Amino acid sequence: PPRSTLFPYTTLFRSFVQYGYSGSRTKAIAEAAGVSEALVYSHFESKDKLFEAAVLEPLEAMVGGLVAQALRLPELTGVERREVSVQLHTSVLTSMREISPLLGVALYSETTFAQRFYREQLKPLLDQIRSSIAASLQGWPHQSVDAAVITAMLLGTYNWIALESTLDASDVDVAHVANERSEEHTSELQSHHD
């Protein structure tokens, strides 16, 4: 069975978010997932790899979806373009709500681990997002729009919304936010077009 079936990511998230990277123990994670520690080690060679999977697999899924949707945008116009944009924003916000707490642990717990994780794992994913956003902007006469800035705004906004929702234990109207952000994004690009 796939690792995500054996080790539900919510179980991994809870342990790492609650106890941090250093405080999480593979034995406790295995118990929470209802499996043996030996089974955990048969799928993950170390706690580092377990942690990276807990962060990276959902993040890679989000990036794959974002890239695929962004690359469709240049082919679309009008209503279809807006619908795909709303889907993209919905997907990113939904994913960030799941990933954000663990991403915080990855980036802010241990400096050496965080630097390596960012450099080797996160930055290549961010580069994929930037490239796909740049490609999605093809055909729009807005040369002053920087894909790196759009990427930072998109992920930063949704990371903050996810963080606030987590810390306030409040719900987010994902559909409303995605529609609003899509409208703002379209308006911003349109203003550069005019």
Side-chain angles (χ1 to χ4, degrees):
R3 290 191 319 195
S4 60
T5 303
L6 290 171
F7 311 102
Y9 289 111
T10 53
T11 302
L12 301 178
F13 285 168
R14 266 189 240 115
S15 179
F16 285 118
V17 169
Q18 185 173 0
Y19 301 110
Y21 174 78
S22 297
S24 292
R25 302 287 175 251
T26 54
K27 183 175 181 171
I29 292 169
E31 288 173 3
V35 299
S36 70
E37 189 174 20
L39 185 60
V40 171
Y41 279 114
S42 73
H43 287 273
F44 303 96
E45 65 188 54
S46 66
K47 186 169 82 169
D48 279 358
K49 296 299 181 190
L50 177 65
F51 181 73
E52 286 178 7
V55 178
L56 283 176
E57 290 184 18
L59 190 58
E60 287 169 343
M62 178 193 80
V63 170
L66 189 153
V67 167
Q69 289 172 318
L71 292 176
R72 288 185 53 211
L73 289 173
E75 307 164 1
L76 306 174
T77 58
V79 173
E80 288 179 313
R81 186 179 185 103
R82 188 173 189 304
E83 286 174 1
V84 170
S85 178
V86 169
Q87 291 169 5
L88 185 148
H89 285 275
T90 299
S91 174
V92 172
L93 178 53
T94 301
S95 295
M96 287 304 293
R97 289 183 66 209
E98 296 171 13
I99 298 166
S100 183
L102 201 50
L103 198 53
V105 172
L107 296 174
Y108 299 111
S109 60
E110 295 179 9
T111 305
T112 304
F113 177 85
Q115 289 171 333
R116 183 183 59 77
F117 178 81
Y118 177 80
R119 191 175 46 254
E120 296 174 9
Q121 307 291 343
L122 189 56
K123 188 172 184 322
L125 292 173
L126 293 173
D127 290 342
Q128 283 181 37
I129 295 170
R130 283 189 271 273
S131 294
S132 69
I133 288 177
S136 79
L137 296 173
Q138 296 300 314
W140 285 70
H142 51 66
Q143 299 305 318
S144 64
V145 176
D146 184 343
V149 173
I150 292 175
T151 301
M153 289 172 55
L154 175 72
L155 296 179
T157 298
Y158 290 147
N159 188 48
W160 185 259
I161 290 170
L163 174 70
E164 190 170 51
S165 170
T166 299
L167 296 176
D168 278 349
S170 61
D171 201 20
V172 174
D173 184 345
V174 174
H176 171 76
V177 173
N179 274 300
E180 186 174 284
R181 190 60 204 125
S182 293
E183 186 63 40
E184 289 169 8
H185 182 72
T186 303
S187 297
E188 290 164 6
L189 291 177
Q190 191 63 40
S191 71
H192 281 26
H193 180 287
D194 296 335

